Amino acid sequence: MTERGKTIILLFIAALFIIIVNLSYFRFAVTTPRGERYTGMGLEAVSDKLVYYAMIQQGYSGKLFMHNPHTSEPQADSLFSPQWFVIGQAAKLFSVPIEISYHAARVILTILFLWLVWLITTKIFTGACEQLLAYAAVLFSSGLGWLYYVAHPAIGDTGINWLVRLQMVPADLYVTELAPITAFMQSPL
């Protein structure tokens, strides 16, 4: 394989990954009814994003130590959160809404992740085909929970209590941090 061919395939894999992790956000943004505002929420870990947005808002206000406002307990500003501070300050500097700053950070850090994975892949594997295959495997892999789900469709029954169902579902189907695609769909961290 030529170096040019390897580069084209590498860029295709990386572009495909970026498109996949952003597709739902783009779809929701363009299908938001006229007169309404899209909040930048996706399908996964919505409650987490509400906390992230609250932290970014605190970072926007200049707080480096933050609190979780989504709790009934009184809290002091004791959570050291430089990542949300930087994203909040970027929103302030560029005069953009916090959800734009959040997603910009998510895309920028996705690109950084893609570059780092490629660097590591080229250190471990010497052949172009092996490098590209390993790179694609890291990016697009997840657990085999979907196979279990296919074999046991009853776990998708919405009539089952959610807590009971959660114990039946493989973790890779609901823990977004277990696979690169769902991790970068969910958060810039």
Side-chain angles (χ1 to χ4, degrees):
M1 176 180 299
T2 67
E3 192 63 33
R4 184 172 189 275
K6 180 173 119 176
T7 302
I8 290 170
I9 294 171
L10 168 68
L11 292 176
F12 175 78
I13 293 169
L16 182 62
F17 184 84
I18 290 171
I19 289 167
I20 289 171
V21 299
N22 290 293
L23 197 57
S24 64
Y25 294 108
F26 178 74
R27 178 181 160 260
F28 292 140
V30 299
T31 60
T32 299
R34 187 175 297 259
E36 295 187 21
R37 182 170 176 249
Y38 174 53
T39 62
M41 296 290 175
L43 298 172
E44 64 296 310
V46 173
S47 56
D48 289 350
K49 283 193 192 79
L50 293 173
V51 173
Y52 301 159
Y53 281 11
M55 300 279 192
I56 294 169
Q57 188 64 49
Q58 292 172 67
Y60 184 96
S61 300
K63 289 185 177 181
L64 184 58
F65 288 87
M66 303 173 184
H67 68 281
N68 179 357
H70 299 290
T71 181
S72 59
E73 301 170 1
Q75 293 193 0
D77 292 337
S78 59
L79 300 172
F80 180 62
S81 301
Q83 71 280 19
W84 303 128
F85 174 80
V86 169
I87 295 170
Q89 288 296 300
K92 187 174 189 175
L93 177 68
F94 296 110
S95 300
V96 296
I98 59 170
E99 56 265 29
I100 299 293
S101 184
Y102 172 85
H103 288 292
R106 192 177 55 75
V107 170
I108 290 166
L109 291 174
T110 299
I111 293 168
L112 177 63
F113 172 78
L114 292 171
W115 177 70
L116 289 172
V117 169
W118 180 247
L119 284 181
I120 293 168
T121 304
T122 58
K123 299 290 183 203
I124 296 172
F125 299 97
T126 55
C129 289
E130 292 85 8
Q131 290 171 345
L132 292 167
L133 185 61
Y135 187 65
V138 167
L139 298 182
F140 297 105
S141 65
S142 68
L144 297 175
W146 63 274
L147 272 175
Y148 183 82
Y149 188 78
V150 168
H152 301 88
I155 63 175
D157 180 2
T158 56
I160 299 174
N161 177 288
W162 70 271
L163 191 54
V164 172
R165 191 172 65 230
L166 189 61
Q167 294 170 0
M168 297 166 39
V169 175
D172 64 322
L173 294 181
Y174 65 88
V175 178
T176 59
E177 295 83 2
L178 288 180
I181 285 180
T182 52
F184 284 98
M185 283 175 142
Q186 195 261 342
S187 172
L189 300 180

